[in-house]
Every structure is written in structure tokens, then in C-alpha cells.
Amino acid sequence: MVSRRRMIGAAAATAGGVLLMRTTLRPAAPAAAPAAAVQDTAPDHTHPGADAPDPGPDTGPALVEKFTTTLPVPPVLSPVSTDGGADTYAVTMLRSFARIVPGHRTEVLTYNGAFPGPVIRARSGRPVIVRQTNLLDDAVSVHLHGSKVPVASDGGPMNLLGAGATRTYTYPNDQPHASLWFHDHAHHMESEHVYRGLAGTYLLTDETERALPLPSGRYDLPIALRDARFDASGTLVYRMDDPFNRTTILANGRPWPKVEVAARRYRLRLLNSSNLRFFSLRLADGGPITQIGSDGGLLERPHTTDTVDLSPGERADVVIDFSRYPVGSTVVLTNSLPPGPPEHVGQVMRFDITRAAADPSSVPDRLRTLPAPGPAARERTVVLKVEEGTGGAAPRGLIDGRTYDPARVDAAVAFGTSEIWTVVNANTDVPHNFHLHLVQFRVLERNGKAPGPEESGLKDTVRLLPGESVRLHATFDSYRGRYPYHCHLLDHSAMGMMAQMEIA
Ligand SMILES: [Cu+2]
């Protein structure tokens, strides 16, 4: 186990190291953006800062003393109506200011003014309706990541909500419990929008999950991890494909925070909401972490590990028992992956064990039962690649050799069937991952072998280190229509590493 973990870390470390040279070429000008076909229909907006002078190194590490800010608990939204068998929410997207680094107010893009976004709590079988009003300057699109929803509410890359407009998204919640998240998906702009704050948490529960004696209430914490870059005035700096300068680690929007915990079990819903950063998380003392769930809800059985790997968009549901630490002690959550100075990016947040507490919670040996993947009607291969531009052109994100074209169907899927997709990272030095809209899939194989226990449950996003391949099993029996699939390194999808399936 340990040697396998070390291999993953080493591979990702190599990938990250070369990522600098391979893909930090940013678009020289808006006209050099990927795929002319997309350029015509993309929002009329350039990436601010693309041509501006470099603002210098990330000042976050200098502005912040680690473990002095407190991990915020993101606000839970209250419905404006619970009539008609559904919970209705009203959300306004607006520019706001957040206190991220001490002594500064940082302009951010928000859902309802919250950075990061608020939490929506939902139950399987009870629809949620979200009325989104866009008071930003840009067109946006709100995607509920991991959800099974009709195309009209999927928040696809071209299904835009213009500045000043209001639109209603309907989420049937006709799916089992899962820790989902919602974020911007407007083509070309999703990477900057999400980076500047348009991301929130959506916790869907059901009877299966609620019947278990897992830590709950104040002992169940959603924690979104990401990186960021700041200038000397505390302003968030966004530059396309800039992983090496994003060296400030944020947890729930605060840099290297601490959180006071009782000496008992906690459930942590970890989300990697970074644009590009992969995390390999460990407790500093190598203590045990019990993973109970992944993207699509609980695993069949918990598995105990010392390391949790998360690529952008992935979630891990874990239980940590702080009763093994004396009251008065602390333990740091660390990250072993570059890029960036290990003294900064190697630290994430700190747990301060401040009090004793009774603990009626437990983690059962059996969490749920998942159906075995059935027969597949067809197999297909999907190849991901980022290609450096020549002659000063921008790098291009490719799926099967092509950049995203919303007018093109890349995969015709027969409604009601299952398929096996082999997804390949054709780059030898750049990591990717793969996100399929609409479905939760199963990972059948990773590099020709059975996946680890952390990938044995339902997934919607799967990591692909350089040269890796995964075989996925997905069933398309819910909604018809055109849904995207893409690399969830958002700077890559913004470069065109996205394609479209039509289920008919
Ligand atoms: Cu990618």
C-alpha cells in the first residue's frame, strides 16, 4: 500500500514539475484562444491580466501566518419556499469582498456574497429549484457537478445565463445521497469564474445514509480545498494556466486555517475545488484516515488509509478519530504534491484538539450495497491531450485530437444502454482528469489493474496522471440530450479539452 502511494505521489510530482514548462504558455491575445468554432459563440470577454505585467510572486505566504485564521463553516442556504413538494432557493451572483488574507479585502465573485459559496442541503426524492440571478458583468452557467438532471438544468458550457438575467434550475434529486458541488461552467470563462469564487456545496442525503451512525451535525464538516495567488494588496491574481504561482492554500476560503475539534470522530467532506492543483493529503503524524465515500456517495465498505488523493473536482468523504490525540495537542493536514514550495503548499490546515467529548458515532463495516456493473452495449476510447501552441499560439486542450465544438456530437450514446469508456492521458508529462456529466460511473480498471478501494464506489471525476488510462462503466438511462465530458483541470477545459455526447 505504502509503495503504491509513493508511486502515485512521485508520478504526480514529476507531472507537476514539468507542467510548468509544458503548459504555462498562456494565450498571447484573445484572438489566440482555442478553437475558432468556439470563439464565435464564446462570451465576449478576454482573460484579464493575460497581457498585463506579471504581478510578481504570490504574496499569500508572506501576508499570512499559518494556522492563525479559523476555518469558516460555510453558510447553509434557507429555502424561500417549501411549497409544491420542492425546496426553492433564490441565489444572486454578485461581486463582493471577502476577508481572505489578514488586513485586506479581496474582491471575489460569489453566490449570495459568500466566499466560498453556500451549502445547499437536499434529500433524495425531493426536488430543489434554484432561481439564479446574475448580477455579474459576464455570462455564467451553473453546473451541479455529479448530478443527474435534464439538459435544461445541467448548466452546460454554452447554456448561458447573461448578465442581469434570472433563470431557474431544477434538480430532481432522483439519485442516491452524494456530496456534490455547484460551480460556473461558462465556456472559456469557467476557470476564471471558479477561481474567483463561483463554487458552492450541495449535500444530498437519503435514508440509506441517514440510517448510519456516522458523525453528524457539528461533527460533519464540508471542507473545500484549493490554491490561490495574491498580489501585495491582497487581490486575487488570475492568469490562465498558472499553477506554479498559486501557492496559497485555502480551506473554505481561508489561508492555512485552524479548526478547533473535540477528541472524537469527525466526518470531513473534502472537495478539491482547485483549477489545477492535485492534493495528496495526510495527517502530519501519518495517522489513520477512514475513507467512507467518494464522488457519488458512500463506498460499500470503509477503508483505512494514511493518504487521500484528490484531483480537481473530486471529493473524498472521510472520518478522522481525534480521540487518539491528547486534548491540547494539534495535528496538521499536509499535502505531499507540488508545484510550489513544500513549506507553503505542503501544509493545508491544522486541527486543534481542544476538549473531550462523548462520541456516540461509529463507522459500520458495511455502508451500502452497489449493483454490479452490467453488460455494456459498446466500448469506446477517449484520448486527452494538451498540446503546446507553435509560433506563439496558445496551448490547445484536445479530446480525440479536437478542441471543443458545441455544434459537434463526439459520442452518440443509445439511451438505456451501458458503455465502457477507456480514457487515456496521452501526455507524458501533464496530469489530467476526466469528468462525465449526468452519470455516476464505476472505475473498472486503472492501468489494466483493479482500482484501489478509494475508487471502488460511484465516481464522476477520475484522475489521470501522465500516461495513465482508466476503464469506466457508465449507464445512460436517465435523460436524453447533449451533455459534455471534459478534463476538470478547468484551465484545460477552458483551452478546449471538452467534448459532447448525445444520448438518444
Ligand atoms: Cu487536463
Side-chain angles (χ1 to χ4, degrees), residues 198-339:
L198 289 182
T201 295
Y202 188 101
L203 301 179
L204 177 61
T205 190
D206 63 9
E207 292 308 318
T208 301
E209 182 187 43
R210 278 141 59 101
L212 297 172
L214 298 168
S216 61
R218 62 195 290 214
Y219 305 110
D220 176 2
L221 295 176
I223 301 178
L225 304 177
R226 56 166 289 182
D227 57 9
R229 177 186 186 182
F230 295 89
D231 72 10
S233 68
T235 299
L236 263 179
V237 176
Y238 176 82
R239 293 169 78 100
M240 183 87 162
D241 206 9
D242 187 30
F244 281 75
N245 290 304
R246 299 173 186 164
T247 60
T248 302
I249 305 297
L250 306 181
N252 287 351
R254 293 292 164 85
W256 299 287
K258 62 176 177 176
V259 59
E260 294 190 354
V261 294
R264 55 155 287 162
R265 286 182 200 84
Y266 278 72
R267 179 178 183 179
L268 308 178
R269 318 249 197 156
L270 302 172
L271 157 68
N272 182 353
S273 63
S274 302
N275 283 40
L276 293 168
R277 179 173 293 280
F278 286 54
F279 285 102
S280 188
L281 302 169
R282 285 166 60 91
L283 293 166
D285 66 344
I289 299 172
T290 301
Q291 185 167 359
I292 59 171
S294 59
D295 303 338
L298 295 168
L299 304 173
E300 291 197 297
R301 292 178 189 80
H303 93 98
T304 299
T305 180
D306 56 12
T307 309
V308 173
D309 293 317
L310 285 178
S311 70
E314 283 189 293
R315 286 87 71 205
D317 204 335
V318 304
V319 172
I320 295 177
D321 188 353
F322 294 104
S323 71
R324 31 184 227 95
Y325 300 100
V327 170
S329 66
T330 64
V331 61
V332 172
L333 185 68
T334 67
N335 164 46
S336 61
L337 294 184

Side-chain angles (χ1 to χ4, degrees), residues 431-433 487 489 492 497:
H432 299 295
N433 72 7
C487 178
L489 278 64
H492 292 183
M497 194 180 289

Side-chain angles (χ1 to χ4, degrees), residues 385-423:
K385 190 170 192 200
V386 67
E387 201 169 75
E388 202 167 324
T390 51
R396 301 193 307 153
L398 305 173
I399 291 187
D400 296 331
R402 302 188 286 198
T403 55
Y404 176 62
D405 177 353
R408 187 183 69 222
V409 171
D410 301 281
V413 175
F415 180 83
T417 65
S418 295
E419 297 196 357
I420 292 173
W421 292 26
T422 299
V423 187

